[in-house]
Amino acid sequence: MQSQEQLVCTACRLELPETGQHRGEALVSGQLRFAGKVPVDFVYAYLYFNKKGKTQRLIHALKYRTMKEVGSVLGRWYGYQLKTDIRLNDQVDLIVGVPLHPAKLRQRGYNQSDWFAQGLSETLEIPWSDRALVRNLYTISQTGKDRIERWHNVNNVFGIGDPDLVANKRILLVDDVLTTGATLEACTATLLAANSQSVGIVTLAATR
């Protein structure tokens, strides 16, 4: 396994476009993307996503170049901020990554969101599970779709893998990139329908 320095050098880390959303530094909260749709306790993203920027290169390495450890490293770094700045570890019972369809999981070999979730879990000292949510239908790529198209693409796609894991729990839902929020909205609705106490969202990156 590569070291953190090999995966993301110190100089590059200092230049990462952090959002500061969990500290209230962002001008527009990610929660606005879910207003009037599903109730979420909070929405935080670690980095801003810009095409051809550092964040896009990291996510490309994480998803398409089998560098899954990038997700774990970034999860640990952001987890430390969330723990020390706002004590998020006191507000969450379980971390859940947005699942891949089994066919997509076999093709890629791993779920990039789970690796980010594991990094968060390690630093926040909160358990995570890859069995809480399941993806029942294989969906086509969301790239290039508008919000309505994305919602229709993921509506009724997700289900609960283990109801006992999520019932009465404060869930931290984790994904790689927040764009329109349609996928996270669908996952949140599924969790709340399964009697989760609350859902908060953390993503590795978000579009501005």
Side-chain angles (χ1 to χ4, degrees):
M1 181 177 292
Q2 294 172 288
S3 68
Q4 293 186 27
E5 178 68 21
Q6 289 175 309
L7 290 165
V8 186
C9 71
T10 299
C12 295
R13 180 181 181 182
L14 294 174
E15 296 175 354
L16 290 176
E18 296 187 4
T19 71
Q21 288 176 340
H22 67 284
R23 307 187 195 98
E25 295 174 11
L27 294 177
V28 178
S29 170
Q31 283 182 273
L32 293 179
R33 305 191 197 201
F34 299 90
K37 302 180 183 76
V38 290
V40 291
D41 273 16
F42 53 82
V43 182
Y44 304 137
Y46 181 26
L47 305 172
Y48 282 120
F49 182 93
N50 295 311
K51 287 189 175 181
K52 299 183 180 179
K54 286 184 172 60
T55 302
Q56 185 182 42
R57 291 196 292 272
L58 284 171
I59 290 176
H60 190 273
L62 168 63
K63 293 178 69 172
Y64 305 117
R65 295 178 56 198
T66 68
M67 296 177 66
K68 51 187 179 291
E69 293 86 358
V70 168
S72 181
V73 168
L74 295 175
R76 289 197 296 272
W77 288 350
Y78 196 38
Y80 178 79
Q81 292 186 21
L82 295 170
K83 184 176 183 178
T84 56
D85 293 344
I86 60 171
R87 297 186 63 83
L88 187 64
N89 52 314
D90 293 337
Q91 305 171 44
V92 174
D93 301 311
L94 181 69
I95 301 174
V96 175
V98 171
L100 295 177
H101 186 271
K104 187 64 168 288
L105 185 61
R106 286 193 297 272
Q107 179 185 9
R108 182 169 294 164
Y110 60 92
N111 180 352
Q112 70 277 1
S113 296
D114 279 343
W115 278 79
F116 184 52
Q118 288 179 62
L120 289 167
S121 172
E122 183 177 328
T123 307
L124 290 170
E125 300 178 281
I126 300 169
W128 76 279
S129 174
D130 60 358
R131 297 184 294 110
L133 270 177
V134 295
R135 187 183 290 251
N136 295 319
L137 300 175
Y138 192 98
T139 55
I140 60 177
S141 171
Q142 300 277 59
T143 303
K145 296 181 180 295
D146 62 24
R147 196 191 176 286
I148 299 300
E149 290 172 327
R150 284 174 181 250
W151 168 249
H152 285 303
N153 196 38
V154 296
N155 191 25
N156 299 319
V157 164
F158 300 98
I160 299 297
D162 187 341
D164 292 336
L165 273 176
V166 302
N168 302 311
K169 298 289 178 58
R170 298 169 298 174
I171 304 296
L172 176 60
L173 181 62
V174 172
D175 203 3
D176 50 5
V177 182
L178 170 59
T179 49
T180 66
T183 297
L184 289 161
E185 179 185 338
C187 288
T188 298
T190 300
L191 289 165
L192 292 175
N195 298 316
S196 294
Q197 181 177 329
S198 63
V199 177
I201 292 170
V202 167
T203 63
L204 174 52
T207 56
R208 292 183 183 268

